[in-house]
Each structure stands twice: as C-alpha cells, then as structure tokens.
C-alpha cells in the first residue's frame, strides 16, 4: 500500500452546492465517492447526487459512487442494484462503485445472508460493466461478513484508528480507507467531512479496463 491518493466522500448531508471541489483539488485531493442513493425505490436517489457530481467533474475531481443498503434479502438487494444502475447511468465514473452494508436492519441477519446480499448487489452491478467494491466498517468486515466469498471484490474499509490498529478488527486487504468522519478542510466545506485514502490508482485501472462507461 505505497500509494496514498487523497479523497473525500459525500452525500446529502453535505449541502448541495456548498462543497468547493475546486478548492478540494487545489489541496491535492483527487477523488470523491458520492452516495447515489439508498434503498430499493427510485424516489430514494440522494437529492444532492446530481449537484455534487456536476461540480466535482467540472473541477477535475475523479468521481465514484456508492449505494447505502437496507436490503434484508437477496431479492431486495437485486432491486437496490437496479435503482443504483439507473441513478448512475450516463455518469463519468473514474473511481469504483461501492455497496455500503452497515445498517441496523441488517445487523441481526446471519453472516451467510449478509454475504449473499452483498454478492447479489455487487454481481449485478459488476455484470453491468462497473468496477465494484464493498464498503463497511472494519468490525463488520471482520465479523459480520464471509470475506472469503467476497475476495473477488476490492474493499473500502471504514476505521477511525491508526492504520496499524485496523487488524484488531479486520485482518484482510483493502484498497480504500475511510480514516475520518470529522475532517475539516478550510475553504472546501464549513462542516466536517469524511476523509479517505485510495491505495490503488483506480482512475488508471478503470480507464485501462474500459469499465464504468455507463
């Protein structure tokens, strides 16, 4: 993990139009993962997604997208994937698309079912031509999913501890790391931001593979 590419992630919780992506670029940040939506209905598209997307692309920031899941069955996960693919259609995504599994509604499912849900969503989205990964906390990755069944996919790990302490919760590899949920970047946004590192040059990988063309 020699490469450390700086990025942020955003959703409607960062007010549309308030994030200064040009200032972000000037600070050396290269990517932004954006929530496209959540759940399995078209009306659950993130209301800030379009605004964030346009502003980031115009500023030269590489964009990825993620979906917050409430699915408690494989069928619901498949419906969520269809919504997500509709929301990102036509978008220029130079970073991965991610399945975010961490909701309370999924906490008391079995590890097998949670893993089935993740596989259902990610397999559908990958088959549509996208570089697909899973996002969750280190504790969920380490205890609530069968990561041996998900080894085909990259991991975006959330852990607000020193990197050398992540293995206390999750011992696997990860291509991205959300290391803070309370970052402050002067001139970018007045309130806190989620901060990330990417350990792979995803923009180059995705471009070379001809993926994420919507």
């Amino acid at each position: 993990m020699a490469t450390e590419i700086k990025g942020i992630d955003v959703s409607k919780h960062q007010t549309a139009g308030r994030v200064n992506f040009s200032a972000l670029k000037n600070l050396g940040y290269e990517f932004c993962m954006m929530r496209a939506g959540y759940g399995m209905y078209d009306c659950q598209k993130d209301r800030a997604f379009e605004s964030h997307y346009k502003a980031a692309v115009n500023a030269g920031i590489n964009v990825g997208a993620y979906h917050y899941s409430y699915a408690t069955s494989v069928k619901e996960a498949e419906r969520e994937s269809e919504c997500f693919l509709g929301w990102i259609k036509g978008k220029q995504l130079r970073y991965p698309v991610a399945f975010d599994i961490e909701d309370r509604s999924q906490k008391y499912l079995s590890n097998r079912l949670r893993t089935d849900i993740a596989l259902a969503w990610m397999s559908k989205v990958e088959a549509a031509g996208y570089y697909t990964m899973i996002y969750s906390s280190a504790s969920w990755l380490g205890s609530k999913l069968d990561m041996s069944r998900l080894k085909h996919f990259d991991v975006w790990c959330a852990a607000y501890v020193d990197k050398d302490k992540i293995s206390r919760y999750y011992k696997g590899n990860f291509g991205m790391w959300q290391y803070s949920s309370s970052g402050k970047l002067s001139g970018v946004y007045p309130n806190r931001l989620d901060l990330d590192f990417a350990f792979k040059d995803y923009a180059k990988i995705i471009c070379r593979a001809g993926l994420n063309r919507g």
Side-chain angles (χ1 to χ4, degrees):
M1 295 185 179
T3 302
E4 288 190 352
I5 301 171
K6 295 193 294 185
I8 65 170
D9 59 271
V10 298
S11 69
K12 69 179 183 181
H13 299 295
Q14 287 72 46
T15 306
R18 295 289 302 279
V19 181
N20 188 329
F21 287 101
S22 294
L24 184 72
K25 180 79 170 179
N26 291 336
L27 289 175
Y29 287 74
E30 298 185 27
F31 72 92
C32 180
M33 298 293 291
M34 302 180 175
R35 190 176 73 172
Y38 52 92
M40 56 185 174
Y41 300 104
D42 286 335
C43 63
Q44 292 175 303
K45 181 177 181 179
D46 191 298
R47 64 173 178 261
F49 180 52
E50 294 292 339
S51 176
H52 285 327
Y53 171 80
K54 290 174 185 176
V57 170
N58 287 340
I61 295 289
N62 292 320
V63 175
Y66 72 93
H67 180 92
Y68 188 94
S69 176
Y70 292 103
T72 56
S73 70
V74 166
K75 184 175 181 179
E76 288 180 355
E78 291 173 343
R79 288 174 62 181
E80 287 189 347
S81 72
E82 291 165 5
C83 278
F84 179 77
L85 289 170
W87 295 330
I88 65 172
K89 186 176 181 179
K91 297 289 190 292
Q92 182 182 10
L93 299 177
R94 292 181 173 170
Y95 257 63
V97 298
F99 182 65
D100 180 349
I101 182 166
E102 58 178 307
D103 193 68
R104 288 179 63 185
S105 65
Q106 299 157 330
K107 185 175 181 180
Y108 299 105
L109 304 177
S110 67
N111 281 20
R112 179 175 180 177
L113 181 51
R114 277 189 294 264
T115 306
D116 287 345
I117 286 166
L119 275 173
W121 191 97
M122 292 193 291
S123 297
K124 283 269 191 179
V125 173
E126 184 182 56
Y130 291 92
Y131 194 110
T132 309
M133 70 192 322
I134 187 166
Y135 166 93
S136 199
S137 68
S139 61
W140 271 57
L141 294 168
S143 66
K144 294 189 180 299
L145 293 157
D146 182 352
M147 296 305 293
S148 68
R149 294 176 58 205
L150 302 174
K151 62 185 178 181
H152 168 71
F153 299 96
D154 275 9
V155 171
W156 177 14
C157 176
Y160 309 145
V161 296
D162 292 341
K163 189 163 65 172
D164 61 3
K165 295 179 180 177
I166 294 174
S167 60
R168 296 179 182 179
Y169 310 97
Y170 167 60
K171 299 185 185 304
N173 296 321
F174 47 96
M176 287 173 54
W177 173 30
Q178 184 189 77
Y179 64 91
S180 176
S181 62
S182 56
K184 288 292 188 76
L185 299 177
S186 179
V188 175
Y189 191 69
N191 299 317
R192 66 183 189 176
L193 289 164
D194 291 346
L195 303 180
D196 303 271
F197 282 122
F199 302 110
K200 297 181 180 181
D201 189 344
Y202 284 111
K204 185 178 291 184
I205 292 168
I206 287 167
C207 180
R208 286 177 173 173
L211 298 172
N212 292 17
R213 296 190 173 179

